[in-house]
Amino acid sequence: MNSGSSNSRLLLDGITKSYPGCLANDNISIDVKAGSIHAILGENGAGKSTLMKIIYGVVKPDSGKLLWEGQETTINAPIDARELGIGMVFQHFSLFQTLSVVENIALGLDQRSSSDMDRLAKRIIEVSTKYGMPLEPHRLVHTLSTGERQRVEIVRCLIQDIKLLILDEPTSVLTPQEVDSLFDTLRQLADEGSSILFISHKLKEIQSLCDSATVLRAGRVSGSCVPSDESTTSMARMMVGDETQIGSEYPNAKNDMPDFLSINQLNVATTDIFGVDLKNISFAAKQGEILGIAGVAGNGQSELLSVLSGETQLEGFNIITFPDADLTQSNPMQRRACGMGFVPEDRLGHGAVPDMSLRDNALLTGFLQGLISRGFVNQSATENFSKTIIDQFDVKCGGNNSLAKSLSGGNLQKFIIGREILQTPRCLIAAHPTWGVDVGAATSIHKALIALRDQGASILIISEDIDELFTISDRICALFDGQLSPIKPTNATSIEEVGSWMAGVFGRQQAA
Amino acid sequence: MRIKLEARGQQSKLMSYASPILAALLTLICGAFLFWMLGKSPMQALHTFLIMPISDPYRIAELLVKAGPIVLCAMGLSICFRANIWNIGAEGQLLMGGLVGSCAALALLDSQGIWVLPLILVAGILGGMAWAAIPAFLKNYFNTNEILSTIMLNYISLNILLHGVHGPLKDPNGFNFPESALFSDWQTMPILLEGTRLHLGVSFALLAMVGVWVLMSKTFIGFQIKVLGGDERSAHFAGFKHKRLVWFCLLLCGGLAGLAGVGEVTGPIGQLVPNISPGYGYAAIIVAFLGRLHPLGILFAGLLMALLYMGGEMVQIHLDLPLAVTGVFQGMLLLFLLICDVLIGYRIIVHKSAPKIVKQSLSIEPPAVAIEGK
């Protein structure tokens, strides 16, 4: 597999980069061999992204050396990196939705190779079939699935001679089946001599794919290993340190509880040209249970959330009932008054106002908790509420006067989750509740959710992280193309089955 | 040497206060240059323009009389701007306030009593509110851009006012001058300071300042307005009623501008005339931003703006310069403010090295072109 593995493709020596108030990379040294698949493992905020940006020339290191095939090199800009043969697939795709595949790829190339679109289209077909990622060059990007969009990003790198491919959390947007086929492609590339840097915090994937791994923690290398020689627990230890509790098993809820939140025959046509229509969705979340909704992003999750929170106005009757009241036409404030709480997908600019302090952001949805008297804001109650959130959910910030935008994604997530949980809703609807938070914090958020469930709340979790859903859900289902799969108790199904639901393999349209 | 703007990463609090002062200084410097170009002594001209208007108590009172309506309008505008509602229509709302207030005054011309003036003021306020209700309605139900609708309504209200003074509201005994009858003592604002024109209406500006401050910093509705302006999606998520907030902001601003208008016709003017405002409603836009949308800041900015109006008259009288000098200074002030505001988000970096073509500048960093939507 590793032909010529003694040759170093990329050697980082003592890379250090600091930002004001934060040492993102501290003396990091990594050796990536030619033809190897090397994992960079670490929690959010461990410094993985900064390191990749340094390699790709987006960020300049404060000190340290970078050796490319044995030669000391400085990479000043992504164009330098591309000339060397470094390609990068970002976590958030950089594609123009209204352009076709070939146009998007041409944008990343120099003038010479992008002028002849027909030849480029042929080359795209050639490359994409060779690596088992078929693409139609003339399709518009917004008609592609997330997995196909990722292929465009990868093919864009492969179309030039690639020596090092960097993938930043590539599997978070894929179904389990798509992950397998991506791994086949990556193995094929490595066999041909390309090196691959695979950034992830999913230990099982790293074990099955990577030849070597470097673990980062708080900006430093906390260990290197051969993943196949390690257990997932030992790698997790390297990732989070000794003090943090790693995951735990949660007892399932009793399943004889009555229906609490019911959705009946929900059909919503989207107003967004890139949106997804919701088709004939019916389900009921029981009192005292966690219902998980899996699915790859862009299959109707945001539309469903917006309908449930009341941001999308519905017409009709008895489509949404909770527990017995008809909430179909009610607005978000009325739903909150009924005891519902919401955690939206986007932290900043949806769940929190970027330019407002945490105190004001606590008031944003907490105003029904006695923070308002006769139209005036009760300053001290608001102060206390925001402080309680910060304390109980261990939000790292410079006090409740910090602006929401100054917090890291994970910390803001803890704040928003805490804000909703501390209002003890009778029904909590949360998107990606542990998105971007570290393992320790994820565990405490899970515990808080379980505690809320055990108090009799109904909790609906919409997440792309199938492992998380299997950890905390009592029942699980998947959303695909705006339609809901069957719902099964978590212990009566498997990751494979839910994975196939995520890919749309269930008796669709039958329920009508 | 190469000069470059570099993002600060974080907005500078210091610069957000320093920027208006810097803008005022730059306006002074360019103003001095302008006077020099016109063949006047810059120092003498600046003295006439800026110092003479506040050189005796009568003139200071005049300054306050001019600042009153500007500050009232700017207070209302600041609430709209905080909510990201770009109301450019304070001028029209002011004119409508003056017009409707005048109609009420003329209808009550023979009435006497302490209740007459309050009634006229309420009529003026309602006039301004009604005029602001039009863009609010259009915005809420037809998603009309309020910038366009309010600007257009400014011209419409001016023409309605002109129609009024040239037609039905013209004083029958006024020798065909386009003016209404003079209001009676019961219908005009009491003078606060004997020997000046400082009238009761000016104190409304101070009341409005306190009211706006309480509204924006203490009340829940003020909080909702700030959220709406800060992040519309979050406001929607929290369940704040967008349409009601649009109504509230525009009607409040219309009411304050209407009060400013009726304060002019019942105050220093004392009748309805074709030009009751020398652009106070437009000047208030500059004042609102110069004052950083903060009530106290607006008060100071309003005084400065009034000084420019007074100064314009002074240089006209003493130096034979056109009144347009006022407009030029207003324009420079706004322009320099906008320029200086760049420094809130950016800092200037001066590189000593000779300019060279850097490869870096040619590349596009992939994250910068990210367009992935949902």
Side-chain angles (χ1 to χ4, degrees):
Chain A
M1 191 163 168
N2 302 334
S3 50
S5 64
S6 56
N7 301 331
S8 169
R9 171 84 17 105
L10 174 73
L11 187 88
L12 300 180
D13 186 13
I15 295 286
T16 298
K17 172 76 193 176
S18 66
Y19 290 110
C22 153
L23 193 56
N25 283 169
D26 184 6
N27 197 18
I28 289 182
S29 302
I30 291 175
D31 185 5
V32 182
K33 305 282 186 204
S36 78
I37 304 182
H38 190 101
I40 303 286
L41 184 61
E43 293 192 280
N44 289 294
K48 293 173 294 182
S49 299
T50 304
L51 191 63
M52 294 313 116
K53 284 182 188 159
I54 288 171
I55 297 173
Y56 198 55
V58 180
V59 170
K60 274 187 199 150
D62 298 336
S63 63
K65 278 191 294 191
L66 193 149
L67 275 74
W68 179 253
E69 297 186 315
Q71 301 273 317
E72 187 168 344
T73 314
T74 45
I75 301 177
N76 287 317
I79 196 164
D80 297 350
R82 285 197 291 270
E83 267 167 25
L84 290 173
I86 301 176
M88 179 146 181
V89 176
F90 286 91
Q91 197 175 357
H92 299 286
F93 302 149
S94 40
L95 297 172
F96 290 97
Q97 302 223 7
T98 48
L99 298 183
S100 70
V101 171
V102 61
E103 286 165 336
N104 264 292
I105 289 177
L107 278 173
L109 301 175
D110 56 51
Q111 197 113 49
R112 183 165 33 84
S113 36
S114 66
S115 53
D116 186 350
M117 292 292 239
D118 288 335
R119 236 186 53 203
L120 184 60
K122 275 188 202 130
R123 179 108 175 91
I124 289 169
I125 295 173
E126 194 180 292
V127 171
S128 62
T129 38
K130 180 180 170 198
Y131 291 102
M133 305 184 288
L135 272 179
E136 288 174 45
H138 295 293
R139 268 181 68 187
L140 296 179
V141 164
H142 72 85
T143 66
L144 302 179
S145 74
T146 320
E148 287 171 318
R149 288 179 201 189
Q150 189 177 57
R151 286 182 199 167
V152 180
E153 290 270 354
I154 296 173
V155 168
R156 165 148 80 184
C157 298
L158 301 185
I159 214 115
Q160 291 172 307
D161 283 330
I162 188 93
K163 287 183 173 166
L164 174 68
L165 180 63
I166 306 172
L167 298 123
D168 190 0
E169 305 266 0
T171 61
S172 60
V173 295
L174 301 178
T175 64
Q177 285 80 357
E178 285 175 319
V179 169
D180 288 342
S181 82
L182 171 68
F183 284 5
D184 288 341
T185 303
L186 296 182
R187 288 192 190 101
Q188 188 185 347
L189 270 171
D191 284 345
E192 289 172 7
S194 300
S195 302
I196 289 162
L197 260 180
F198 186 84
I199 302 161
S200 182
H201 61 264
K202 293 186 180 169
L203 304 165
K204 284 179 193 154
E205 289 174 356
I206 286 171
Q207 270 189 324
S208 77
L209 179 72
C210 301
D211 310 316
S212 53
T214 301
V215 188
L216 299 186
R217 183 169 80 227
R220 289 188 195 158
V221 175
S222 65
S224 317
C225 62
V226 176
S228 51
D229 295 347
E230 300 279 333
S231 71
T232 48
T233 326
S234 63
M235 283 199 289
R237 267 293 152 237
M238 282 190 237
M239 199 160 91
V240 301
D242 293 329
E243 308 81 32
T244 315
Q245 189 186 356
I246 304 168
S248 55
E249 296 274 316
Y250 303 105
N252 274 8
K254 296 168 283 183
N255 53 9
D256 52 352
M257 300 298 266
D259 287 354
F260 215 38
L261 173 73
S262 304
I263 310 298
N264 305 304
Q265 308 254 327
L266 172 69
N267 284 285
V268 182
T270 179
T271 49
D272 180 357
I273 50 166
F274 301 129
V276 174
D277 295 340
L278 298 177
K279 301 171 200 103
N280 205 13
I281 290 180
S282 296
F283 67 89
K286 294 180 198 301
Q287 190 171 9
E289 78 157 359
I290 297 180
L291 174 63
I293 299 183
V296 175
N299 273 293
Q301 286 94 335
S302 35
E303 289 81 1
L304 181 61
L305 268 168
S306 158
V307 164
L308 293 175
S309 70
E311 286 164 90
T312 299
Q313 292 271 296
L314 287 184
E315 300 189 350
F317 300 96
N318 290 317
I319 297 173
I320 300 176
T321 55
F322 170 75
D324 302 310
D326 181 6
L327 293 184
T328 309
Q329 297 187 21
S330 59
N331 63 38
M333 217 186 261
Q334 289 163 326
R335 291 183 197 201
R336 287 187 176 279
C338 287
M340 294 175 82
F342 308 96
V343 178
E345 284 177 294
D346 295 329
R347 323 292 153 208
L348 220 48
H350 194 181
V353 185
D355 286 310
M356 280 192 163
S357 67
L358 292 183
R359 188 180 44 234
D360 284 348
N361 273 300
L363 182 61
L364 182 68
T365 71
F367 56 85
L368 291 169
Q369 311 300 312
L371 305 184
I372 306 295
S373 54
R374 291 183 196 163
F376 281 82
V377 176
N378 184 335
Q379 306 284 356
S380 64
T382 309
E383 189 93 11
N384 287 339
F385 181 52
S386 58
K387 279 185 178 151
T388 315
I389 301 171
I390 293 168
D391 290 348
Q392 287 200 15
F393 283 81
D394 189 29
V395 179
K396 293 191 182 69
C397 61
N400 60 3
N401 271 324
S402 316
L403 299 184
K405 68 176 179 190
S406 71
L407 267 66
S408 73
N411 273 312
L412 188 59
Q413 172 66 10
K414 288 193 268 182
F415 180 83
I416 291 172
I417 281 270
R419 180 180 73 193
E420 302 302 320
I421 288 182
L422 286 180
Q423 298 181 46
T424 52
R426 292 193 296 155
C427 174
L428 179 69
I429 294 163
H432 323 306
T434 58
W435 176 90
V437 308
D438 56 44
V439 175
T443 308
S444 60
I445 287 177
H446 286 162
K447 281 186 176 158
L449 289 170
I450 299 281
L452 189 66
R453 176 197 75 183
D454 291 342
Q455 288 170 32
S458 180
I459 299 175
L460 192 66
I461 292 185
I462 299 176
S463 175
E464 287 160 41
D465 186 342
I466 196 166
D467 296 325
E468 167 173 56
L469 289 176
F470 268 85
T471 314
I472 58 169
S473 306
D474 300 307
R475 291 190 302 151
I476 196 164
C477 57
L479 200 58
F480 175 81
D481 193 28
Q483 297 175 56
L484 201 67
S485 76
I487 305 177
K488 282 194 180 177
T490 311
N491 48 24
T493 181
S494 63
I495 291 199
E496 287 69 31
E497 185 176 33
V498 177
S500 66
W501 290 344
M502 286 163 69
V505 185
F506 55 87
R508 284 192 276 149
Q509 299 291 18
Q510 280 173 352
Chain B
M1 200 175 77
R2 203 155 51 96
I3 296 172
K4 211 175 96 178
L5 277 180
E6 189 186 81
R8 287 181 193 269
Q10 201 169 2
Q11 299 214 323
S12 159
K13 200 124 199 175
L14 175 71
M15 272 319 295
S16 84
Y17 294 115
S19 160
I21 296 166
L22 202 58
L25 280 176
L26 285 168
T27 307
L28 275 187
I29 294 167
C30 286
F33 183 70
L34 182 88
F35 287 131
W36 176 72
M37 296 275 287
L38 289 167
K40 310 284 173 190
S41 149
M43 287 328 285
Q44 193 208 340
L46 281 181
H47 183 268
T48 314
F49 191 66
L50 298 173
I51 308 295
M52 212 183 263
I54 45 173
S55 55
D56 67 56
Y58 177 81
R59 283 173 175 162
I60 292 176
E62 273 305 285
L63 182 83
L64 297 177
V65 168
K66 284 200 158 50
I70 299 176
V71 170
L72 269 175
C73 290
M75 290 292 169
L77 287 177
S78 72
I79 292 167
C80 290
F81 295 160
R82 282 286 194 102
N84 267 2
I85 299 167
W86 302 108
N87 179 7
I88 312 296
E91 179 76 5
Q93 290 145 21
L94 180 148
L95 295 179
M96 263 305 153
L99 176 63
V100 175
S102 299
C103 290
L106 293 173
L108 298 170
L109 208 50
D110 300 325
S111 308
Q112 296 189 344
I114 195 105
W115 51 273
V116 175
L117 183 62
L119 206 64
I120 294 168
L121 294 183
V122 169
I125 292 170
L126 290 177
M129 287 171 83
W131 208 243
I134 301 171
F137 175 79
L138 292 173
K139 182 176 174 64
N140 273 341
Y141 295 97
F142 299 98
N143 203 19
T144 312
N145 183 315
E146 70 277 11
I147 300 178
L148 298 177
S149 59
T150 51
I151 289 180
M152 292 193 282
L153 283 165
N154 286 344
Y155 297 104
I156 297 173
S157 65
L158 178 61
N159 281 287
I160 296 176
L161 184 137
L162 290 177
H163 173 75
V165 244
H166 284 97
L169 301 179
K170 191 160 64 179
D171 183 3
N173 309 318
F175 308 103
N176 218 16
F177 278 108
E179 291 171 354
S180 77
L182 279 170
F183 301 159
S184 73
D185 281 352
W186 289 111
Q187 296 171 315
T188 42
M189 297 272 192
I191 295 294
L192 296 179
L193 201 63
E194 218 41 59
T196 69
R197 297 203 298 166
L198 191 67
H199 60 91
L200 184 68
V202 176
S203 60
F204 294 160
L206 289 176
L207 286 178
M209 179 181 80
V210 175
V212 167
W213 181 76
V214 170
L215 175 78
M216 293 312 286
S217 57
K218 299 286 172 200
T219 69
F220 188 46
I221 191 149
F223 175 74
Q224 295 184 36
I225 289 169
K226 284 186 281 184
V227 172
L228 183 66
D231 188 353
E232 199 176 323
R233 209 158 153 234
S234 299
H236 199 192
F237 167 71
F240 301 157
K241 298 185 178 67
H242 189 163
K243 287 182 181 170
R244 267 195 220 174
L245 289 174
V246 170
W247 280 115
F248 180 86
C249 294
L250 276 166
L251 290 183
L252 187 62
C253 179
L256 288 172
L259 180 62
V262 72
E264 286 301 286
V265 292
T266 58
I269 305 175
Q271 65 184 137
L272 186 65
V273 295
N275 49 341
I276 60 176
S277 155
Y280 287 149
Y282 294 115
I285 299 170
I286 305 173
V287 167
F289 284 110
L290 199 62
R292 304 278 89 156
L293 303 182
H294 187 281
L296 199 62
I298 289 172
L299 184 69
F300 289 122
L303 290 170
L304 176 64
M305 190 55 75
L307 183 64
L308 295 188
Y309 274 111
M310 297 272 293
E313 289 171 8
M314 293 294 163
V315 293
Q316 191 181 19
I317 295 165
H318 295 278
L319 300 177
D320 273 345
L321 287 173
L323 193 59
V325 168
T326 301
V328 171
F329 268 76
Q330 282 181 7
M332 282 198 294
L333 196 56
L334 182 62
L335 180 72
F336 285 124
L337 181 71
L338 293 174
I339 292 170
C340 293
D341 275 357
V342 171
L343 296 176
I344 298 173
Y346 296 85
R347 63 166 68 88
I348 296 173
I349 304 279
V350 182
H351 290 273
K352 291 248 168 71
S353 60
K356 56 179 179 185
I357 312 287
V358 186
K359 235 180 182 180
Q360 200 178 348
S361 61
L362 297 172
S363 75
I364 300 166
E365 298 175 1
V369 294
I371 297 291
E372 179 76 5
K374 295 195 277 4

